Amino acid sequence: MIHVKVQQQNTGNEQLNPMQAQLKGRDFLALNDFSSSQLQHILHEAEILKKQHKNGQQDRSLEGKIIGLIFEKASTRTRVSFEVGILQLGGKPLFLSKNDLQLGRGEPLSDTGKVLSRYLDGIMIRTYAHDTVIELARNATIPVINGLTDLAHPCQALADFHTIKEKKGKLKGLKLTYIGDGNNMAHSLMMAGAKLGVDIAIATPPGYEPDASISKLCKNAAVETGATLQITNNPVQAVQGADIIYTDVWASMGQEQEQQSRETAFQSYQVNRELLKHAKNDYLFMHCLPAHRGEEVAADIIDGPQSIIFDQAENRLHVQKAIMKSII
Ligand code: CP
Ligand code: NVA
């Protein structure tokens, strides 16, 4: 679903090139809403912003802009990287906890979206149902960014592909294997792979496969790039020839009551030395964090020399700055 916030377009004196004009005023809700070249443009912007930041140069693209950050779930990386990214771009973040908003007492999302649009220049929201961000975006006249829903975590997946490109020097032709729950992370990695030409294998226990409609969307999106998508219950088969091994928690936020049943179901899906014998020798290990050592991943792997988890976390900052610079 694509919403362009027309009011946001061409309001400044800046001359936009065609790609910038395509992105300005858009929501960032799911990677499927963007073409391969639009995602590549954002990755390229992120590369420039990161270099500039490391060289002490400033980009003040959000000067005078105020961005609201709505959180209905906990966060370390998303909250801090958005707040810092907005400040670095010259804007001001406004942290809005659901408990402090009338939204938490039942005020309709539609009214919230319309009201916040009268004050703010953009909204980032982390919530449960994906429909919540769609509903908010539909009612807001300012760009809305998905900072994680139960269905998708597009900012994390795009930052992860930026990290992979930095480490491997390319994306096309690589294979990423995700072991674990067919959750929001799995969905967004599948879509990023389909759009950016990375082969994806997903290995989950039976009953925990990714959403079938998302898998179908990814397969359709992959036609353009030639990327493949394999979904299996066999982790050994999935890691064969993998360049990247990725995992995430077995019980996501909101699934805490399923922790025990999931621990049982996921027992043979731990990323450990034994499983990684089947991957390429130069595999890289990734995790969106927070992680549970000894559950989804063995401590010697996540803390080992082939783990790039903190580069991933850092790149949230640069990629989200690129997203905000592009759409707001
Ligand atoms: N990876 C991620 O989104 O982390 P937080 O939950 O800390 O924001
Ligand atoms: N799947 C995890 C990702 C956390 C960043 C969750 O939704 O809790």
Side-chain angles (χ1 to χ4, degrees), residues 163-164 167 244 284-286 306-313:
T163 310
I164 296 169
K167 298 287 175 190
I244 310 289
L284 293 174
F285 173 78
M286 300 180 81
Q306 286 168 261
S307 170
I308 54 169
I309 54 172
F310 300 117
D311 299 300
Q312 284 177 261

Side-chain angles (χ1 to χ4, degrees), residues 5 8 17 53 88 110 123-124 161 180 191 194 201 255 284:
K5 307 298 158 86
Q8 291 288 313
N17 70 34
H53 182 67
Q88 286 180 357
S110 49
I123 301 171
M124 193 269 355
F161 274 58
M191 188 51 81
Q255 297 173 333
L284 293 174

Side-chain angles (χ1 to χ4, degrees), residues 134-154:
I134 293 179
E135 176 75 359
L136 183 71
R138 191 177 289 135
N139 285 282
T141 55
I142 52 177
V144 173
I145 299 173
N146 175 3
L148 181 145
T149 63
D150 292 342
L151 196 78
H153 198 0

